[in-house]
Amino acid sequence: MTEHSFTMTDPIGVPIHVYEWLPEANSPVRGIVQISHGMCETGYRYARLAGRLNAAGYVVYAGDHRGHGKTAGRIDLLGDAGRDGFYWMRRNLLQIAAIASGRHPGVPVFLLGHSMGSFLTQKLMCQPGSEIYAGYILSGSNGPRGMLRLGEMLAKAQLKLMGERHRSVLLNGIVFGPYNRSFSSTRTAFDWLSSDTAEVDGFIADPFCGAICTTRFFRDFFRLLQDIHTEASLCSLCKDKPVYLFSGEKDPVGMNGEGVLRLAELYRSLGVSDLEVRLYPGGRHEMLNERDRGQVTDDLLDWLVRHLPPGNNLLRV
């Protein structure tokens, strides 16, 4: 495993930090896995997964989204994606995919989106440019739900009163506050992430994780969540690419599995034929950081190898 990072300049001049993990030189490359990380975390949190993927013959790319990690640049700039931030996050994902494909011609690219990154992925599945991907993996995701319009209205009202860069403790509490209620005993505000206390403590200790986002970030996030399940968006859904959904049965983001199953049923009803769903008993939000993450990763690798084009195990780094 070889780890690199580079800075990619996007179309409006914003530098995007990208992590690149490569298998050992001259080893077979089966595919590329691009990671779209979640809200208030970073691409580097997937280094352990990248190691497993590299060992199985996959190149891995993970960019820090706008307002996140090293793309934000400074701790005090975390949590603000800028104007039209979620639009540009999607543009950045496609730009990274193009770079990855250029560096490894002929190698299929799979997009793995977790949590917020999965909602960005859901939108990419319905827009031009998605043809670059060979398949989609959604981790810790959710389907259609109510109250999003109310959330957007509240964010817009606070933005008007406090400004678009105001760090919204109110909205942060509304979004994340209820997530621990499903668990009878909690140590921290982030126990809903994983039952592995070491993983939760690592998240809390990371200065690039857990930032409180701005009013415009929350407003734009609520807009994205509404948009991805509208008829206008879903009419362009890519139906001929495989989709893999996995989540914990105790993940509050996915409504304890109900929202994930609802999303799967929606996609099937729209004509997505190659779709698999896996819910892990007792699992919380970050299945890749859960106690049984080894099995979760094995299942992911199994899905990937079953969706590779014939002959891709013959390619080299």
Side-chain angles (χ1 to χ4, degrees):
M1 175 180 178
T2 303
E3 177 184 314
H4 302 284
S5 62
F6 60 91
T7 299
M8 172 192 79
T9 302
D10 81 354
I12 59 172
V14 175
I16 306 297
H17 189 85
V18 183
Y19 296 99
E20 177 187 52
W21 291 278
L22 300 170
E24 296 300 322
N26 296 317
S27 59
V29 173
R30 290 174 159 182
I32 299 166
V33 176
Q34 180 187 356
I35 296 171
S36 175
H37 68 74
M39 186 173 173
C40 304
E41 63 160 347
T42 76
Y44 196 72
R45 293 191 74 225
Y46 297 82
R48 178 174 58 207
L49 173 64
R52 285 289 310 276
L53 290 167
N54 282 172
Y58 298 90
V59 177
V60 181
Y61 290 86
D64 283 342
H65 293 306
R66 273 173 161 71
H68 293 78
K70 293 186 178 180
T71 293
R74 302 198 314 260
I75 300 298
D76 62 307
L77 297 178
L78 294 171
D80 184 43
R83 183 170 298 177
D84 299 321
F86 283 86
Y87 166 79
W88 287 110
M89 287 184 203
R90 299 195 303 274
R91 286 284 301 272
N92 296 155
L93 287 170
L94 291 174
Q95 190 176 357
I96 293 170
I99 291 172
S101 290
R103 293 185 176 186
H104 308 280
V107 179
V109 184
F110 297 90
L111 180 58
L112 189 167
H114 171 69
S115 196
M116 179 191 80
S118 78
F119 300 123
L120 290 166
T121 300
Q122 287 191 44
K123 181 59 179 176
L124 281 176
M125 291 165 64
C126 299
Q127 71 177 58
S130 62
E131 59 273 5
I132 196 169
Y133 295 114
Y136 302 98
I137 303 157
L138 303 177
S139 161
S141 199
N142 200 356
R145 80 213 82 164
M147 305 299 288
L148 296 174
R149 176 61 178 161
L150 180 60
E152 181 193 351
M153 291 172 62
L154 182 58
K156 287 169 67 176
Q158 193 174 43
L159 185 152
K160 186 174 181 180
L161 289 172
M162 308 295 292
E164 61 184 12
R165 298 186 182 181
H166 171 69
R167 304 282 169 175
S168 182
V169 175
L170 172 65
L171 293 169
N172 189 77
I174 290 173
V175 172
F176 296 109
Y179 287 167
N180 260 356
R181 293 177 187 169
S182 301
F183 309 105
S184 58
S185 178
T186 56
R187 299 180 309 120
T188 78
F190 296 99
D191 283 10
W192 56 276
L193 292 177
S194 172
S195 63
D196 188 329
T197 57
E199 293 297 322
V200 173
D201 291 344
F203 178 91
I204 294 171
D206 189 332
F208 285 104
C209 292
I212 294 178
C213 296
T214 62
T215 53
R216 67 176 170 186
F217 186 101
F218 280 113
R219 178 201 62 192
D220 293 347
F221 186 43
F222 283 125
R223 286 177 175 173
L224 172 70
L225 293 177
Q226 294 174 82
D227 178 59
I228 56 179
H229 300 132
T230 61
E231 183 178 353
S233 183
L234 290 170
C235 70
S236 301
L237 176 68
C238 178
K239 303 171 185 177
D240 60 348
K241 302 289 179 68
V243 180
Y244 178 41
L245 283 70
F246 70 92
S247 184
E249 281 191 342
K250 297 296 184 181
D251 179 8
V253 173
M255 302 168 62
N256 297 327
E258 291 183 15
V260 179
L261 294 176
R262 188 180 304 146
L263 178 63
E265 181 57 33
L266 174 64
Y267 282 163
R268 288 192 180 106
S269 71
L270 293 170
V272 178
S273 58
D274 190 344
L275 188 148
E276 296 180 30
V277 185
R278 192 179 295 270
L279 296 177
Y280 292 91
R284 302 186 186 184
H285 184 52
E286 295 186 345
M287 286 310 308
L288 292 166
N289 292 324
E290 264 290 4
R291 296 177 187 273
D292 57 346
R293 54 185 170 264
Q295 183 61 55
V296 175
T297 305
D298 287 345
D299 294 338
L300 171 61
L301 290 168
D302 174 69
W303 183 88
L304 284 167
V305 78
R306 287 188 287 107
H307 291 89
L308 288 171
N312 271 73
N313 61 333
L314 302 177
L315 299 171
R316 299 282 166 178
V317 175

